[in-house]
Amino acid sequence: QVQLVQSGAEVKKPGASVKVSCTASEHPFSSYDIHWVRQAPGQSLEWMGWISIGNGNTVYSQTFQGRVTFTRDTSATTVYMALSSLRSEDTAVYFCASGTHFGSGGDAFDFWGRGTKVTVSS
Amino acid sequence: EIVLTQSPGTLSLSPGERAILSCRATQSVTSRYLAWYQQKPGQAPRLLIYGASNRATGIPDRFSGSGSGTDFTLTITRLEPEDFAMYFCQQYGVSPQTFGRGTKVEIK
Protein backbone atom coordinates (compact mmCIF):
# COMPACT_ATOMS: atom_id res chain seq x y z
CA GLN A 1 0.00 0.00 0.00
CA VAL A 2 1.40 3.38 -1.00
CA GLN A 3 2.23 5.71 1.84
CA LEU A 4 2.87 9.43 1.52
CA VAL A 5 4.32 10.87 4.71
CA GLN A 6 4.45 14.64 5.06
CA SER A 7 6.39 16.93 7.34
CA GLY A 8 4.82 18.70 10.29
CA ALA A 9 2.87 21.91 10.67
CA GLU A 10 4.53 25.27 10.03
CA VAL A 11 3.87 28.81 11.22
CA LYS A 12 5.38 31.56 9.10
CA LYS A 13 5.29 35.35 8.94
CA PRO A 14 4.12 37.18 5.82
CA GLY A 15 6.88 37.45 3.26
CA ALA A 16 8.68 34.33 4.48
CA SER A 17 9.06 31.00 2.69
CA VAL A 18 8.02 27.50 3.66
CA LYS A 19 9.26 24.09 2.57
CA VAL A 20 7.13 20.98 3.00
CA SER A 21 8.34 17.43 2.39
CA CYS A 22 6.54 14.32 1.21
CA THR A 23 8.16 10.87 1.38
CA ALA A 24 6.69 8.13 -0.78
CA SER A 25 6.95 4.39 -0.27
CA GLU A 26 5.66 1.27 -2.01
CA HIS A 27 4.29 3.03 -5.07
CA PRO A 28 3.25 0.45 -7.69
CA PHE A 29 5.03 2.34 -10.46
CA SER A 30 8.77 2.87 -10.64
CA SER A 31 8.22 6.29 -12.16
CA TYR A 32 5.31 8.38 -11.05
CA ASP A 33 4.26 11.93 -10.33
CA ILE A 34 3.70 13.58 -6.99
CA HIS A 35 1.13 16.36 -7.09
CA TRP A 36 0.57 19.12 -4.58
CA VAL A 37 -2.95 20.23 -3.70
CA ARG A 38 -3.89 22.79 -1.09
CA GLN A 39 -7.08 23.47 0.84
CA ALA A 40 -7.72 26.76 2.59
CA PRO A 41 -9.93 26.62 5.72
CA GLY A 42 -13.49 25.70 4.75
CA GLN A 43 -12.63 25.81 1.05
CA SER A 44 -12.30 23.43 -1.84
CA LEU A 45 -9.14 21.86 -3.23
CA GLU A 46 -6.66 23.75 -5.38
CA TRP A 47 -4.12 21.98 -7.58
CA MET A 48 -0.63 23.49 -7.46
CA GLY A 49 1.36 21.28 -9.84
CA TRP A 50 3.43 18.12 -9.97
CA ILE A 51 6.94 16.71 -10.04
CA SER A 52 8.05 13.50 -11.72
CA ILE A 53 9.82 11.11 -9.38
CA GLY A 54 11.52 9.53 -12.40
CA ASN A 55 13.22 12.52 -14.04
CA GLY A 56 12.43 15.49 -11.81
CA ASN A 57 10.35 17.28 -14.45
CA THR A 58 7.92 19.78 -13.01
CA VAL A 59 4.66 21.43 -14.03
CA TYR A 60 3.25 24.35 -12.08
CA SER A 61 -0.21 25.85 -12.01
CA GLN A 62 -0.16 29.37 -13.41
CA THR A 63 -1.67 30.53 -10.12
CA PHE A 64 1.57 29.69 -8.32
CA GLN A 65 4.10 30.09 -11.13
CA GLY A 66 7.13 32.00 -9.91
CA ARG A 67 6.34 31.45 -6.26
CA VAL A 68 6.42 27.68 -5.92
CA THR A 69 9.25 25.21 -6.52
CA PHE A 70 9.14 21.43 -6.42
CA THR A 71 12.33 19.44 -5.90
CA ARG A 72 13.27 15.86 -5.09
CA ASP A 73 16.18 14.34 -3.22
CA THR A 74 18.79 12.11 -4.81
CA SER A 75 17.09 8.98 -3.55
CA ALA A 76 13.98 10.22 -5.39
CA THR A 77 11.65 9.06 -2.64
CA THR A 78 11.24 12.45 -0.99
CA VAL A 79 9.91 15.52 -2.75
CA TYR A 80 9.71 19.07 -1.48
CA MET A 81 7.31 21.92 -2.09
CA ALA A 82 8.70 25.38 -1.43
CA LEU A 83 6.37 28.39 -1.46
CA SER A 84 7.81 31.89 -1.18
CA SER A 85 6.51 35.40 -0.46
CA LEU A 86 3.87 33.98 1.83
CA ARG A 87 0.72 35.95 2.55
CA SER A 88 -2.23 35.31 4.82
CA GLU A 89 -4.19 33.81 1.91
CA ASP A 90 -1.62 31.00 1.75
CA THR A 91 -2.84 29.70 5.10
CA ALA A 92 -4.02 26.21 4.19
CA VAL A 93 -3.44 22.49 4.49
CA TYR A 94 -1.01 21.34 1.81
CA PHE A 95 -1.41 17.78 0.56
CA CYS A 96 0.85 15.67 -1.61
CA ALA A 97 -0.99 13.13 -3.73
CA SER A 98 -0.36 10.53 -6.39
CA GLY A 99 -2.43 8.29 -8.56
CA THR A 100 -2.62 5.39 -10.96
CA HIS A 101 -5.47 6.70 -13.10
CA PHE A 102 -4.09 9.05 -15.69
CA GLY A 103 -5.96 11.60 -17.75
CA SER A 104 -4.92 13.92 -20.53
CA GLY A 105 -4.75 16.85 -18.13
CA GLY A 106 -3.77 15.25 -14.85
CA ASP A 107 -4.45 12.30 -12.58
CA ALA A 108 -7.13 10.98 -10.28
CA PHE A 109 -5.46 10.60 -6.90
CA ASP A 110 -5.63 7.23 -5.16
CA PHE A 111 -3.02 8.16 -2.58
CA TRP A 112 -2.80 11.19 -0.36
CA GLY A 113 -0.55 12.39 2.41
CA ARG A 114 -2.24 13.43 5.65
CA GLY A 115 -1.58 17.08 4.89
CA THR A 116 0.67 19.77 6.35
CA LYS A 117 -0.96 22.79 7.94
CA VAL A 118 0.78 26.04 7.04
CA THR A 119 -0.29 29.12 8.94
CA VAL A 120 0.81 32.55 7.76
CA SER A 121 0.38 35.16 10.45
CA SER A 122 2.19 38.20 11.74
CA GLU B 1 -9.73 26.52 -17.17
CA ILE B 2 -12.73 24.27 -16.64
CA VAL B 3 -14.95 25.40 -13.78
CA LEU B 4 -16.93 22.67 -12.01
CA THR B 5 -20.19 23.60 -10.31
CA GLN B 6 -21.52 21.15 -7.75
CA SER B 7 -25.10 21.09 -6.57
CA PRO B 8 -26.70 21.18 -4.19
CA GLY B 9 -24.35 22.86 -1.76
CA THR B 10 -25.84 20.87 1.09
CA LEU B 11 -27.94 17.73 1.02
CA SER B 12 -29.86 16.85 4.19
CA LEU B 13 -30.87 13.20 4.23
CA SER B 14 -31.51 10.32 6.62
CA PRO B 15 -29.55 7.07 6.79
CA GLY B 16 -30.94 4.60 4.28
CA GLU B 17 -31.97 7.30 1.80
CA ARG B 18 -30.50 7.84 -1.64
CA ALA B 19 -28.17 10.78 -2.36
CA ILE B 20 -27.77 12.25 -5.82
CA LEU B 21 -24.95 14.77 -6.28
CA SER B 22 -24.40 16.80 -9.42
CA CYS B 23 -21.23 18.17 -11.02
CA ARG B 24 -21.52 20.40 -14.08
CA ALA B 25 -18.54 21.59 -16.14
CA THR B 26 -18.19 24.78 -18.16
CA GLN B 27 -16.87 22.74 -21.08
CA SER B 28 -16.86 19.10 -22.06
CA VAL B 29 -14.64 16.90 -19.89
CA THR B 30 -12.22 15.04 -22.14
CA SER B 31 -12.76 11.28 -22.29
CA ARG B 32 -14.86 11.35 -19.12
CA TYR B 33 -11.82 12.14 -16.98
CA LEU B 34 -13.98 13.00 -14.00
CA ALA B 35 -13.36 11.81 -10.45
CA TRP B 36 -15.27 11.99 -7.17
CA TYR B 37 -13.78 12.22 -3.70
CA GLN B 38 -15.14 11.95 -0.19
CA GLN B 39 -13.59 14.04 2.57
CA LYS B 40 -14.25 13.97 6.30
CA PRO B 41 -13.13 16.72 8.71
CA GLY B 42 -9.42 16.65 9.39
CA GLN B 43 -8.75 13.97 6.78
CA ALA B 44 -7.38 13.84 3.27
CA PRO B 45 -9.81 13.23 0.43
CA ARG B 46 -10.52 9.63 -0.53
CA LEU B 47 -10.94 8.66 -4.18
CA LEU B 48 -14.35 7.09 -4.82
CA ILE B 49 -14.83 7.20 -8.59
CA TYR B 50 -12.49 7.77 -11.54
CA GLY B 51 -13.21 7.87 -15.25
CA ALA B 52 -16.72 9.09 -14.40
CA SER B 53 -18.05 5.64 -13.50
CA ASN B 54 -15.25 3.37 -12.23
CA ARG B 55 -15.14 2.63 -8.54
CA ALA B 56 -11.75 2.93 -6.91
CA THR B 57 -10.25 0.04 -5.00
CA GLY B 58 -12.22 -0.88 -1.91
CA ILE B 59 -15.15 1.44 -2.57
CA PRO B 60 -18.55 -0.15 -1.77
CA ASP B 61 -20.97 -0.66 -4.63
CA ARG B 62 -23.51 1.71 -3.09
CA PHE B 63 -21.38 4.44 -4.68
CA SER B 64 -21.83 4.88 -8.43
CA GLY B 65 -20.89 7.52 -10.95
CA SER B 66 -22.41 8.40 -14.28
CA GLY B 67 -22.45 11.09 -16.93
CA SER B 68 -20.46 12.46 -19.82
CA GLY B 69 -19.74 15.72 -21.59
CA THR B 70 -20.53 18.45 -19.08
CA ASP B 71 -22.93 16.72 -16.68
CA PHE B 72 -21.93 14.11 -14.11
CA THR B 73 -23.64 12.49 -11.16
CA LEU B 74 -22.55 10.64 -8.04
CA THR B 75 -25.24 8.44 -6.54
CA ILE B 76 -25.09 6.91 -3.08
CA THR B 77 -27.83 4.36 -2.57
CA ARG B 78 -28.85 3.63 1.01
CA LEU B 79 -26.74 6.13 2.93
CA GLU B 80 -24.71 4.62 5.75
CA PRO B 81 -23.74 6.69 8.84
CA GLU B 82 -20.13 6.88 7.61
CA ASP B 83 -21.23 8.42 4.29
CA PHE B 84 -22.11 11.79 5.80
CA ALA B 85 -19.23 13.94 4.59
CA MET B 86 -18.10 16.40 1.92
CA TYR B 87 -17.90 15.28 -1.68
CA PHE B 88 -15.81 16.92 -4.39
CA CYS B 89 -15.65 16.32 -8.12
CA GLN B 90 -12.44 16.79 -10.10
CA GLN B 91 -11.76 16.95 -13.83
CA TYR B 92 -8.37 15.75 -15.01
CA GLY B 93 -8.93 15.83 -18.73
CA VAL B 94 -7.73 19.37 -19.33
CA SER B 95 -4.85 21.12 -17.58
CA PRO B 96 -5.09 22.67 -15.09
CA GLN B 97 -7.07 19.96 -13.38
CA THR B 98 -9.76 21.53 -11.27
CA PHE B 99 -12.09 20.68 -8.41
CA GLY B 100 -15.65 21.64 -7.64
CA ARG B 101 -16.56 23.50 -4.46
CA GLY B 102 -18.14 20.45 -2.92
CA THR B 103 -21.47 19.12 -1.68
CA LYS B 104 -21.98 18.48 2.00
CA VAL B 105 -24.13 15.46 2.77
CA GLU B 106 -25.46 15.94 6.29
CA ILE B 107 -27.77 13.99 8.56
CA LYS B 108 -31.32 15.27 8.49
Side-chain angles (χ1 to χ4, degrees), chain A residues 35 37 39 42-47 50 59 61-63 95 101-115, chain B residues 1 30-31 33 35 37 39 42-47 49-50 56-57 88 90 92-97 99-102:
Chain A
H35 294 247
V37 177
Q39 187 172 38
Q43 302 299 310
S44 184
L45 302 155
E46 184 175 26
W47 176 76
W50 56 260
V59 171
S61 164
Q62 281 196 334
T63 302
F95 295 100
H101 309 292
F102 309 118
S104 45
D107 302 344
F109 304 127
D110 309 71
F111 315 116
W112 293 75
R114 298 182 76 170
Chain B
E1 70 178 44
T30 307
S31 301
Y33 289 134
Y37 298 85
Q39 188 180 32
Q43 296 184 16
R46 177 174 73 142
L47 179 66
I49 301 287
Y50 65 92
T57 302
F88 296 97
Q90 173 212 17
Y92 54 106
V94 174
S95 185
Q97 52 197 299
F99 294 86
R101 300 187 71 171

Side-chain angles (χ1 to χ4, degrees), chain A residues 17 32 46 52-53 56 62 71 73 81 86 88 90 114:
Chain A
S17 298
Y32 53 92
E46 184 175 26
S52 167
I53 284 290
Q62 281 196 334
T71 55
D73 69 9
M81 185 280 297
L86 290 169
S88 59
D90 294 318
R114 298 182 76 170

Side-chain angles (χ1 to χ4, degrees), chain B residues 50-96:
Chain B
Y50 65 92
S53 60
N54 302 291
R55 271 188 300 276
T57 302
I59 302 303
D61 60 7
R62 65 179 181 272
F63 292 91
S64 64
S66 62
S68 63
T70 60
D71 290 303
F72 297 87
T73 299
L74 174 71
T75 301
I76 313 170
T77 58
R78 302 181 312 277
L79 279 163
E80 297 287 342
E82 61 268 26
D83 299 335
F84 292 92
M86 282 292 292
Y87 292 83
F88 296 97
C89 58
Q90 173 212 17
Q91 69 79 24
Y92 54 106
V94 174
S95 185

Side-chain angles (χ1 to χ4, degrees), chain B residues 20-41:
Chain B
I20 299 176
L21 287 66
S22 172
C23 177
R24 179 163 290 176
T26 51
Q27 57 186 278
S28 185
V29 177
T30 307
S31 301
R32 304 199 335 145
Y33 289 134
L34 192 287
W36 290 93
Y37 298 85
Q38 177 193 72
Q39 188 180 32
K40 297 180 180 178

Side-chain angles (χ1 to χ4, degrees), chain A residues 47-117:
Chain A
W47 176 76
M48 301 177 68
W50 56 260
I51 180 168
S52 167
I53 284 290
N55 58 20
N57 285 351
T58 57
V59 171
Y60 301 116
S61 164
Q62 281 196 334
T63 302
F64 301 95
Q65 190 86 34
R67 238 179 17 114
V68 71
T69 305
F70 304 147
T71 55
R72 58 179 180 139
D73 69 9
T74 53
S75 71
T77 58
T78 298
V79 299
Y80 301 90
M81 185 280 297
L83 187 63
S84 62
S85 304
L86 290 169
R87 36 205 186 232
S88 59
E89 309 89 88
D90 294 318
T91 293
V93 176
Y94 290 76
F95 295 100
C96 59
S98 184
T100 58
H101 309 292
F102 309 118
S104 45
D107 302 344
F109 304 127
D110 309 71
F111 315 116
W112 293 75
R114 298 182 76 170
T116 296
K117 184 174 181 179

